[in-house]
Amino acid sequence: MRVSGEIVGRALVELGKKVKPGVTTQELDKFAYDFFKRHDCTPAFLGYHGYPSTICTSLNAEVVHGIPGKRVLEEGDIVGVDIGAFYKGYCGDSARTFAVGNVCSEVRNLLDVTFEALNRGIEKCKVGNRISDIGHSVQEYVESQGYSVVKDYVGHGIGQAMHEEPQVPNYGKPHQGPRIVEGMCLALEPMVNLGTDEVRVLEDGWTVVTKDGKFSAHFEDTIAILSSGPENLTRI
Ligand code: MF3
Ligand code: CO
C-alpha cells in the first residue's frame, strides 16, 4: 500500500505541473498511463465498470468522473484530476483539483476549503474513532465556510480492491458506523460545491455535474490507520 500510494502521489504531482492553459485532458491521461506503465503499475480505473480512461478529469462544474478528451484547459478553469493504480495487487487512489493559471478568489477559496476539509477528515482517522467522525468533521467545516458537501458519492475502504467496505461519507452525525481499527486503509474524498449539493450524471453515463452549474472541487488521499495515527500514503 505504501508503494502504490507513493507512485500515485508522485504521478499526481507530475500531472499538476502539466496543468496549464493549452493542454488537453487526454494529454494528461496519456501521461498518467505511461507513468503507471513505467512504474510497473496497472491503472485502476481503466475498464472499471467499463470506464474508458486511466484518469478522471473533472472541469469546473463537473464534480467527479469526467472523461479525458479533446477539451483544452483554459485560464480560469479548475480541473479535478483523480487517479488510481495497483502495484503488486495493492491499490492507491488520490485526487487533486488544480487551478489552470489564475482563477478568481472565490474559486481559489473553494480549492483551499476542500483541501482543508480533507485534512480535517484525515485527522479523525484514529483508532477508537468511528467512520462517521470523518464525515461529521468534513461537513461541519465545509458548511461553516458557506459551501455544500456532495452526499451522493462517498469515500471508501481500499486495499486489494479499489472500493472496499466501509463507505466513508463526507457528512453525518459523529460517533456512528464502524469503528476505525489499526491496519485499515481508507480513501477519503470530499467533493465540495460552491452552490447546491445536488448533482446529476451527464448522457455519457459517467460525468457527474452540479445541478446549478456552479463550480465543484475534489481532493482525495489514501490513508493507513496505524496505532500511532493516520499515515497519508499518497501525499508527497
Ligand atoms: N477515483 C474514484 C474513486 O475515488 C473512482 C473512479 S471511477 C472510475 O473512488 F470508474 F473511473 F474508476
Ligand atoms: Co476513491
Side-chain angles (χ1 to χ4, degrees), residues 45 82 93-94 154-156 158 162-163 187-189 218 220 222:
F45 302 176
D82 189 352
D93 187 7
S94 185
V154 296
H156 48 94
I158 182 167
M162 175 166 62
H163 292 148
L188 272 56
E189 49 181 318
H218 175 220
E220 176 175 22
T222 296

Side-chain angles (χ1 to χ4, degrees), residues 1 3-8 35-37 39-48 54 83-93 156-164:
M1 290 301 288
V3 177
S4 62
E6 186 179 347
I7 294 168
V8 163
F35 188 98
F36 287 151
K37 290 290 146 179
H39 292 86
D40 298 319
C41 285
T42 308
F45 302 176
L46 188 62
Y48 183 82
T54 298
I83 71 172
F86 287 90
Y87 180 79
K88 294 192 176 170
Y90 289 90
C91 192
D93 187 7
H156 48 94
I158 182 167
Q160 289 176 277
M162 175 166 62
H163 292 148
E164 298 185 352

Side-chain angles (χ1 to χ4, degrees), residues 5-139:
E6 186 179 347
I7 294 168
V8 163
R10 281 168 46 206
L12 210 35
V13 168
E14 294 307 314
L15 285 160
K17 294 179 192 163
K18 297 194 173 291
V19 168
K20 287 194 181 101
V23 171
T24 65
T25 51
Q26 69 191 15
E27 287 167 345
L28 301 177
D29 190 71
K30 168 94 169 65
F31 174 83
Y33 182 85
D34 293 342
F35 188 98
F36 287 151
K37 290 290 146 179
R38 275 203 304 283
H39 292 86
D40 298 319
C41 285
T42 308
F45 302 176
L46 188 62
Y48 183 82
H49 293 281
Y51 186 73
S53 302
T54 298
I55 69 175
C56 301
T57 50
S58 306
L59 277 135
N60 301 337
E62 297 173 358
V63 178
V64 285
H65 304 168
I67 302 171
K70 298 192 187 313
R71 170 67 151 84
V72 177
L73 299 180
E74 291 168 19
E75 179 108 21
D77 285 338
I78 56 172
V79 59
V81 179
D82 189 352
I83 71 172
F86 287 90
Y87 180 79
K88 294 192 176 170
Y90 289 90
C91 192
D93 187 7
S94 185
R96 297 283 180 266
T97 301
F98 300 111
V100 184
N102 285 313
V103 298
C104 69
S105 61
E106 187 188 38
V107 169
R108 181 69 253 168
N109 193 54
L110 172 71
L111 302 185
D112 294 343
V113 166
T114 310
F115 187 57
E116 174 64 16
L118 170 60
N119 291 337
R120 291 189 180 213
I122 292 167
E123 278 177 24
K124 300 292 173 187
C125 290
K126 284 187 188 148
V127 174
N129 281 349
R130 288 175 181 258
I131 288 294
S132 82
D133 292 319
I134 298 167
H136 179 72
S137 170
V138 169
Q139 181 178 28

